[in-house]
Amino acid sequence: MVGTVPPLTTVPLPRRPPDPDDRQRLWYENELGWRTVPGEPLRLVTGLRFDVLDVPLEAGVAALWRLGPDSPVAVRGDRMRLLVAAGSAEELPGLLDWLEWGALAPELDLLALGEGGHMEAPPVPGAGPTKGQPLSAGRSGPLQGAAVWLRPPEPGCEVEASLPTLSALGSVEGAPDLVRLVDTVATQCHRVRLRRSCAQPLAFS
């Protein structure tokens, strides 16, 4: 018909392959339901689904037996991040006082990330060292530098059920208990501190 414009055939533009960071963000948000911080590098919001105890690697290695087998653990350089129940960061100062570590708390190098905080998101499992890979406090290699999962979270599972919490105190044996974990970590942090101070050369005037 005169004056009729033939329909345009729309050809979709070539799609750019998804950015690796975008895939990781979707994995954390969709598979685990964890909130991430907008922007780069990819970071996980703490204080909602979990809090984090950030401790020296040596102290963290010695405390792993206090965790459940499914409790997520990350490593970045010479620091270990132990995921604990949300709200644990607020309980930490009072818990250290109750365990009689309060006077030494500023010197223990024991940090807690809770509400309003964030931690670097390790690559999704399979992009770094495999689960269960041996770890030593003096290790070099892939665990140096960027954060990696030592014990990654499992999609499809209730991650919160595996996290150490105050409510586990007095429960069945083997349940992840925040009190015992904090006491063990504080003891190991103190030992690390004493070992480092003894290793420092004496200063003579």
Side-chain angles (χ1 to χ4, degrees):
M1 181 183 297
V2 177
T4 302
V5 178
L8 296 176
T9 302
T10 56
V11 178
L13 295 174
R15 297 184 64 182
R16 186 182 63 178
D19 185 271
D21 287 339
D22 292 338
R23 290 199 299 267
Q24 293 188 60
R25 190 181 301 276
L26 291 175
W27 186 85
Y28 280 111
E29 293 182 349
N30 296 341
E31 298 293 330
L32 297 177
W34 291 0
R35 186 177 298 178
T36 62
V37 179
E40 303 299 335
L42 182 58
R43 293 165 293 167
L44 304 173
V45 176
T46 60
L48 298 177
R49 301 288 299 275
F50 60 88
D51 285 356
V52 175
L53 295 183
D54 186 320
V55 303
L57 180 61
E58 184 177 349
V61 169
L64 286 177
W65 65 282
R66 285 293 190 190
L67 300 173
D70 297 322
S71 295
V73 177
V75 174
R76 186 179 189 277
D78 61 354
R79 306 291 297 183
M80 181 174 286
R81 279 83 182 264
L82 310 174
L83 270 62
V84 294
S88 299
E90 296 179 2
E91 301 286 351
L92 184 61
L95 190 52
L96 289 172
D97 284 339
W98 186 69
L99 292 169
E100 299 184 352
W101 285 107
L104 291 175
E107 304 172 12
L108 290 179
D109 198 13
L110 170 57
L111 308 175
L113 304 175
E115 185 177 0
H118 55 79
M119 65 170 278
E120 179 184 345
V124 298
T130 58
K131 183 177 181 180
Q133 185 169 356
L135 174 68
S136 62
R139 183 190 179 113
S140 60
L143 291 181
Q144 299 298 319
V148 295
W149 284 116
L150 178 64
R151 294 182 182 176
E154 297 289 345
C157 301
E158 281 295 329
V159 176
E160 287 83 353
S162 70
L163 302 180
T165 177
L166 280 175
S167 62
L169 183 62
S171 61
V172 295
E173 184 177 357
D177 173 23
L178 182 66
V179 176
R180 294 187 179 94
L181 174 64
V182 169
D183 193 33
T184 300
V185 168
T187 300
Q188 296 300 326
C189 286
H190 184 53
R191 290 176 178 172
V192 170
R193 171 179 167 272
L194 292 177
R195 190 176 302 117
R196 289 175 179 173
S197 63
C198 292
Q200 292 178 352
L202 298 176
F204 295 95
S205 56

